[in-house]
Amino acid sequence: MRILGIETSCDETSAAVVDDGRSVLSNVISSSQASFKTMGGVIPEEAARKQVECILPVIRDALAQANSTFEEIDAIAVTNGPGLLVSLLVGTTTARTVASVQRKPLISVHHTLGHLSSVWLDCPEEPSFPVLTLSASGGHTDLWLRTSHTQGTLVGRTRDDAAGEAFDKGAVMLGLSYPGGPSIAKSAEGGDRKAFPFPLPLHDDSLPDFSFSGLKTALKYLVKDLKDIQHMLPDVCASYEHALCAHLLDGIRKALTLHPECKEVHVVGGVSANTYLRSQLDAVCNGRKVRYPQKLSYCTDNAAMIASAAFFLTQEKNERAYDAFRTIASQPLTHLFSKKH
Ligand code: KG4
Ligand code: ZN
């Protein structure tokens, strides 16, 4: 089954052609991130204006790179939320129009379900469920206990900021550019991870929830106290990156203690691009198979993961995958997972 995926939930405009949820024929991503480098975050209306300009060329490129025509596309999949409403509307309006003109079925996909599916892009292996998935991005930080590609329960979540947000806001405090994850990781190179101690939030809580606001405040006071921040930057970044990753790893460790039946551990979302986090994963997973997306471009927002999730929806929900949809800026995945069929 060949699916054309479309994703415009934040500052990216992406279109991809994916066969059977795994074989990526193209994955075109146009980002307006550079315009927000000094802003510390995305300005929704500005991002949406750029998306309106480039959505059709991006779709055309995705088809051309996949050497495919609309006749060969079996369905169109689009992120319908959560995300920035104006940005989402660019994608959903385009997808509905193209689907109607080209007479193709339309599948709406929850953005997080896209991230959860991203480990299967370019990966021919079969999963062993149950799977524990940490999905950590700029908008959410969740732990899912999954019993299939499209079913599962939320076992942990952030109580305040998302992990990516803690990187992004930390970068603003340190005078580094947006997005904060890659800039902090780069500035941390060669730094001493133990130079500055940070707390391990919720460590004594048995629930595998997360809280990043205390770490952010600790960084704020550290920056205020340090006289020569530029000179200490690698040590500060290395210690802060270590603190954020240690908290994520502690959540995974607690979730595996509560759910020892998990056979695999997956880490997805923008933060899964973090090499330091990846290097520490095996130590908390006790010999379980650990997976993250095969390419860095599959960690951050992309349309291939949306096409992949749409394929698994058609496999597991049949015609119900083609529900008429609404664009919803804020929607929990738990709602979708608990729908009775
Ligand atoms: O999944 P994503 O592209 O968009 C959302 O759904 O939010 O994630 C973007 C987030 C940003 O907060 C960014 O700082 C973070 O992922 N990120 C990273 C890295 N690359 C991107 N965080 C840590 N280390 C990285 N290498
Ligand atoms: Zn995302």
Side-chain angles (χ1 to χ4, degrees), residues 7 9 111 115 137-138 140 269-270 299-301 305:
E7 151 71 39
S9 67
H111 182 76
H115 279 300
S137 76
H140 66 271
C299 296
T300 44
D301 292 348
M305 68 183 194

Side-chain angles (χ1 to χ4, degrees), residues 5-339:
I6 297 173
E7 151 71 39
T8 62
S9 67
C10 190
D11 52 5
E12 278 91 4
T13 309
S14 179
V17 179
V18 180
D19 278 355
D20 296 334
R22 291 168 190 262
S23 177
V24 182
L25 305 186
S26 66
N27 187 31
V28 179
I29 306 167
S30 164
S31 172
S32 57
Q33 224 164 55
S35 0
F36 305 120
K37 242 180 157 50
T38 55
M39 309 270 185
V42 179
I43 302 170
E45 272 69 20
E46 205 172 312
R49 263 198 295 275
K50 298 228 163 71
Q51 285 165 322
V52 169
E53 282 165 22
C54 68
I55 182 92
L56 292 177
V58 163
I59 292 175
R60 249 181 249 129
D61 278 1
L63 287 168
Q65 285 181 26
N67 207 6
S68 189
T69 60
F70 268 119
E71 286 71 59
E72 292 160 330
I73 298 291
D74 296 306
I76 295 176
V78 63
T79 308
N80 73 330
L84 307 174
L85 187 60
V86 275
S87 293
L88 288 165
L89 282 169
V90 177
T92 53
T93 310
T94 309
R96 294 174 94 154
T97 310
V98 172
S100 155
V101 171
Q102 300 289 340
R103 295 178 190 279
K104 301 289 173 188
L106 188 58
I107 304 164
S108 59
V109 176
H110 191 286
H111 182 76
T112 308
L113 192 65
H115 279 300
L116 300 192
S117 308
S118 62
V119 293
W120 304 116
L121 297 170
D122 293 341
C123 175
E125 291 167 29
E126 285 303 321
S128 297
F129 291 105
V131 166
L132 178 76
T133 305
L134 168 70
S135 186
S137 76
H140 66 271
T141 300
D142 299 333
L143 273 165
W144 295 94
L145 178 64
R146 297 163 65 210
T147 47
S148 82
H149 285 287
T150 67
Q151 289 296 310
T153 43
L154 183 66
V155 294
R157 61 177 174 85
T158 181
R159 296 182 185 173
D160 40 59
D161 290 347
E165 204 176 348
F167 274 104
D168 295 339
K169 290 180 177 168
V172 173
M173 290 180 217
L174 296 166
L176 299 171
S177 61
Y178 174 83
S183 357
I184 287 180
K186 189 156 191 308
S187 302
E189 282 168 15
D192 178 1
R193 304 212 176 266
K194 295 204 176 99
F196 300 102
F198 280 86
L200 185 56
L202 305 178
H203 181 56
D204 296 328
D205 200 316
S206 62
L207 279 179
D209 274 352
F210 302 102
S211 169
F212 291 95
S213 62
L215 291 172
K216 217 177 53 189
T217 309
L219 179 66
K220 185 174 152 192
Y221 285 113
L222 177 63
V223 170
K224 212 169 138 204
D225 289 348
L226 281 178
K227 295 209 167 52
D228 184 5
I229 184 78
Q230 277 319 309
H231 181 62
M232 306 299 283
L233 198 58
D235 286 351
V236 174
C237 287
S239 302
Y240 186 60
E241 185 183 35
H242 170 76
L244 298 181
C245 294
H247 184 31
L248 291 171
L249 294 163
D250 201 36
I252 293 177
R253 186 191 53 76
K254 283 190 226 170
L256 289 174
T257 306
L258 290 172
H259 304 283
E261 70 277 20
C262 286
K263 296 200 178 95
E264 297 190 4
V265 178
H266 299 179
V267 181
V268 300
V271 179
S272 70
N274 191 277
T275 10
Y276 179 64
L277 178 67
R278 290 181 177 202
S279 72
Q280 307 292 304
L281 269 172
D282 281 335
V284 294
C285 295
N286 299 322
R288 291 177 179 85
K289 176 84 191 161
V290 173
R291 296 182 199 270
Y292 22 81
Q294 305 272 338
K295 290 185 183 169
L296 290 185
S297 56
Y298 300 159
C299 296
T300 44
D301 292 348
N302 67 89
M305 68 183 194
I306 301 305
S308 176
F311 171 75
F312 293 122
L313 283 169
T314 63
Q315 295 295 293
E316 295 185 3
K317 298 194 192 265
N318 304 314
E319 70 281 0
R320 289 186 305 272
Y322 304 98
D323 272 353
F325 72 85
R326 292 176 297 145
T327 307
I328 316 164
S330 170
Q331 49 167 328
L333 182 59
T334 37
H335 171 70
L336 194 81
F337 274 180
S338 61
K339 255 188 199 168

